[in-house]
Each structure stands twice: as structure tokens, then as C-alpha cells.
């Protein structure tokens, strides 16, 4: 009988300490492979070195085409999705999900497609909700699901989102998760996993650019009337049980909270540009008013000063909006 021989882990803000605890607690000869996504900058990642020093398992960035071997920790390289194939990993510069590449949802979803009920998904500390949709995919294929206890997480939003939307099998503090994974890795599972749904098949194919559907066919769902923050294309609303997410034609994906947070950032950028333009307009019209005064043209000078006052007043309103943050956070969780 097959066993749960692949553990996939997603973490973001505050996740390094939880990952160190996980790596320290897994024993030498752990009978499953561990694949990790942590949201990091594209400039580089020292996470393999950190986790390798923390525990006994060999740890490195995953390589494209590398076979999946038990007793090792594979870390997604910066700016590349980590994808699970049948027996090996793949790396892809496919579309970002919630602004992230690598993304936990991509790793989880492709693992569920390739390994079915032999997968254990783990969501650790992080902001927003990466991992929630992927954890739902793992559960759909009868894999095991584990979430860090939110009160134990430095940033509880990712665990809270997973618990709010997915019937999770196990909730544990970080120091208890390694023993739990050892037990889950020893469990036998049925040879046949639940049938792969068409939605999971399509969405797991997007990140790897490996589906003919991508050429001309729109994503599943209905047009939502919103624009994708990454490419300005039309977003389609996808309903997966109680989960709602958005995906554009080229594959960028957003959860509602992720989309709200990104719109807040875009709005803030627009307000800073408006403030700069208004300040410059006020300065220019004052300069023109002074020049008109010097030529004795008081009528023109008065019009310029009136325009300068209007621009200065509008700039003050924009500045107050920026100072208060009104409407800029999108009503969602802080990013990270």
C-alpha cells in the first residue's frame, strides 16, 4: 500500500522560525520528501542554509527535473514556482498568484494533481491567504491537511484563512508538527485517490504553461468586471465550493483579500502621483502669477493665484487621505 510520501509546506511573514522548528524536529531518514515555499525577494534566498543547519535532513533549492527523494527538504528558488510532476519537480516562471512567485497554492495544487492522497499539506505563519486554495485541492484528493495553530504563528492570517475555508485534519503548534508529520508519513493510503476534477486539472496546468487550453480559451468562471493588477486583463470569478478567487486569461490569480490589498497599493500609488502633480501645478501657477505681476498684468496674476490656491487645497485633501490611510488597505489583511 502507498504511504504519504510528500509533504508540501507554505509560509510567508514570520514563517522562517516555524520552518526552522519543523526542520529541527524531522528525524534523519524521514520517509517523505518535504517541499517548501516561502515568500522571498527575487534577489536571493538563504533559507536552504538556515534549514540545513537547523536539522539533519539535506536541504537545497529544488532543481528543474530533479527526482523527488524521501528524507530531503526542497526549497522553491526565488521568483520560480515549484511544481510537482509525476516523480520529479519542475520550476516555472508562470503567472504569479496573489502577486507571489513562488506561491504555496501552485505547489499544493500541482502536488494534489500528481500525488493525490499521498500528499500532506502544511500551512504555517504568514499574511493574507496563500495556501488556502491549495489546501482545499489537497483535501479534494484525500490528502492530509495540517495548519499551524494561529495563536502560535507570528502572523496568523494564513492559518486563519485556511481554517476558515477548509475542513482541516490537524491543527498544531509548530513544535508538535514534526511528530505529526512522522505519524502521517507512516500511514497507508488507498491505491486510488479521488478522481481529479476538471477545475483542479486546469488550474494546476496554468503555472507550468503545459496545457493547450491556455491558447485562446478563457479561464474557468465568469467575467467579474475587475481588471487584473498584474496585466490589466479581465478577471474571471471562480467559485470552488465556498472559496472564491479570480484569474485572468493569462493565468494571474487573486484571492478576494489579495485583490483588495493590491488595489489598495495601486490606489496609494495613484494618490502620490496626484499629489505630486497638484503640488507642481500650484508651484507653476504661483510662478506665473509673479511673472504677470512683474509685467503689471494684475488680471492674469489674479487668475493664476486663484488656480494656485485651488491646486494647493486639492493637494492638502490628497495629503490628508494619505496620512489617514483611508481606503488604502483594501479592508484586507496586511501584506507580507
Amino acid at each position: 500500500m502507498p504511504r504519504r510520501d510528500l509533504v508540501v509546506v507554505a509560509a510567508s511573514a514570520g514563517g522562517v522560525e516555524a520552518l526552522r522548528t519543523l526542520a529541527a524536529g524531522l528525524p534523519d531518514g524521514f520517509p517523505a520528501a518535504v517541499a517548501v515555499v516561502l515568500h522571498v525577494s527575487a534577489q536571493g534566498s538563504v533559507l536552504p542554509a538556515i534549514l540545513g543547519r537547523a536539522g539533519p535532513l539535506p536541504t537545497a533549492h529544488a532543481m528543474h527535473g530533479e527526482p523527488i527523494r524521501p528524507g530531503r527538504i526542497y526549497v522553491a528558488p526565488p521568483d520560480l514556482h515549484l511544481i510537482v510532476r509525476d516523480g520529479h519537480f519542475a520550476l516555472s516562471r508562470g503567472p504569479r498568484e496573489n502577486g507571489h512567485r513562488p506561491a504555496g497554492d501552485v505547489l499544493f495544487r500541482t502536488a494534489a494533481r500528481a500525488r493525490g492522497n499521498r500528499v500532506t499539506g502544511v500551512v504555517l505563519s504568514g499574511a493574507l491567504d496563500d495556501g488556502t486554495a491549495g489546501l482545499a485541492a489537497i483535501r479534494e484528493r484525500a490528502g492530509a491537511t495540517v495548519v499551524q495553530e494561529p495563536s502560535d504563528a507570528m502572523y496568523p492570517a494564513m492559518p486563519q484563512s485556511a481554517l476558515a475555508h477548509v475542513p482541516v485534519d490537524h491543527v498544531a503548534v509548530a513544535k508538535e508538527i514534526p511528530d505529526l508529520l512522522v505519524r502521517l508519513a507512516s500511514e497507508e493510503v488507498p491505491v486510488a485517490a479521488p478522481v481529479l476534477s476538471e477545475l483542479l486539472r486546469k488550474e494546476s496546468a496554468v503555472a507550468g504553461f503545459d496545457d493547450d487550453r491556455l491558447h485562446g480559451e478563457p479561464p474557468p468562471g465568469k467575467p467579474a468586471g475587475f481588471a487584473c493588477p498584474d496585466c490589466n486583463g479581465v478577471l474571471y470569478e471562480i467559485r470552488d465550493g465556498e472559496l472564491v478567487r479570480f484569474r485572468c486569461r493569462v493565468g494571474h490569480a487573486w484571492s478576494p483579500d489579495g485583490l483588495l490589498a493590491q488595489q489598495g497599493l495601486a490606489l496609494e500609488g495613484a494618490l502620490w502621483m496626484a499629489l505630486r502633480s497638484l503640488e507642481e501645478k500650484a508651484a507653476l501657477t504661483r510662478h506665473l502669477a509673479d511673472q504677470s505681476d512683474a509685467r503689471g498684468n494684475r488680471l492674469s496674476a489674479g487668475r493664476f493665484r486663484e488656480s494656485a490656491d485651488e491646486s494647493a487645497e486639492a493637494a492638502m485633501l490628497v495629503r490628508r487621505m494619505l496620512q489617514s490611510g483611508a481606503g488604502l488597505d483594501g479592508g484586507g489583511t496586511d501584506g507580507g
Side-chain angles (χ1 to χ4, degrees), residues 21-80:
T21 301
L22 177 65
L26 291 175
D28 189 19
F30 180 60
V34 181
V36 174
V37 161
L38 176 72
H39 300 157
V40 295
S41 69
Q43 282 68 42
S45 170
V46 296
L47 186 61
I50 293 172
L51 300 186
R53 289 194 298 267
L57 299 186
T59 306
H61 281 128
M63 299 179 65
H64 186 73
E66 182 175 8
I68 301 173
R69 298 187 178 94
R72 295 172 178 265
I73 299 176
Y74 301 88
V75 177
D79 203 31
L80 290 169

Side-chain angles (χ1 to χ4, degrees), residues 227-241:
C228 174
D230 279 350
C231 67
N232 292 320
V234 173
L235 286 173
Y236 289 72
E237 182 176 327
I238 300 170
R239 291 191 171 270
D240 183 9

Side-chain angles (χ1 to χ4, degrees), residues 16-334:
V16 173
E17 284 307 311
L19 287 168
R20 280 172 53 89
T21 301
L22 177 65
L26 291 175
D28 189 19
F30 180 60
V34 181
V36 174
V37 161
L38 176 72
H39 300 157
V40 295
S41 69
Q43 282 68 42
S45 170
V46 296
L47 186 61
I50 293 172
L51 300 186
R53 289 194 298 267
L57 299 186
T59 306
H61 281 128
M63 299 179 65
H64 186 73
E66 182 175 8
I68 301 173
R69 298 187 178 94
R72 295 172 178 265
I73 299 176
Y74 301 88
V75 177
D79 203 31
L80 290 169
H81 285 311
L82 179 56
I83 294 173
V84 177
R85 303 292 195 196
D86 186 11
H88 67 276
F89 292 112
L91 301 177
S92 169
R93 286 186 55 82
R96 299 178 187 273
E97 300 219 3
N98 285 311
H100 296 300
R101 189 175 56 219
D105 282 335
V106 170
L107 172 62
F108 285 18
R109 202 179 285 123
T110 58
R113 176 179 178 173
R115 291 290 181 103
N117 54 6
R118 294 161 59 188
V119 177
T120 298
V122 182
V123 172
L124 300 177
S125 173
L128 292 178
D129 52 10
D130 188 25
T132 295
L135 207 65
I138 290 173
R139 180 173 177 80
E140 176 187 324
R141 295 277 279 160
T145 53
V146 179
V147 171
Q148 184 179 4
E149 165 60 47
S151 64
D152 182 58
M154 189 176 299
Y155 287 78
M158 274 175 49
Q160 286 172 340
S161 174
L163 292 174
H165 296 96
V166 182
V168 172
D169 298 316
H170 306 278
V171 182
V173 298
K175 66 181 180 181
E176 296 174 350
I177 293 177
D179 288 343
L180 175 59
L181 294 180
V182 170
R183 178 166 63 82
L184 290 172
S186 68
E187 291 181 353
E188 294 182 344
V189 296
V191 174
V195 175
L196 184 71
S197 70
E198 183 65 10
L199 177 60
L200 177 54
R201 185 191 70 78
K202 288 182 176 180
E203 287 206 283
S204 61
V206 171
F209 294 123
D210 60 351
D211 193 340
D212 291 339
R213 178 195 65 81
L214 297 176
H215 301 289
E217 185 176 333
K222 298 180 179 179
F226 310 125
C228 174
D230 279 350
C231 67
N232 292 320
V234 173
L235 286 173
Y236 289 72
E237 182 176 327
I238 300 170
R239 291 191 171 270
D240 183 9
E242 294 185 358
L243 278 174
V244 176
R245 56 186 174 273
F246 303 92
R247 193 178 287 276
C248 71
R249 180 179 290 274
V250 298
H252 299 120
W254 300 90
S255 69
D257 280 352
L259 185 58
L260 281 170
Q262 194 65 27
Q263 287 175 336
L265 290 174
L267 175 58
E268 181 177 358
L271 287 174
W272 281 112
M273 292 179 63
L275 178 60
R276 184 206 66 200
S277 298
L278 288 166
E279 295 279 12
E280 289 179 351
K281 182 179 179 182
L284 175 60
T285 47
R286 287 193 188 99
H287 177 67
L288 294 174
D290 291 342
Q291 288 184 335
S292 295
D293 267 339
R295 292 194 298 269
N297 192 340
R298 298 189 181 278
L299 184 60
S300 293
R303 287 201 300 267
F304 284 132
R305 286 202 173 89
E306 183 178 352
S307 177
D309 290 342
E310 290 173 352
S311 296
E313 183 177 353
M316 182 58 68
L317 290 174
V318 173
R319 190 180 298 276
R320 287 173 181 166
M321 288 186 65
L322 287 165
Q323 288 173 337
S324 68
L328 301 184
D329 62 2
T333 309
D334 291 342

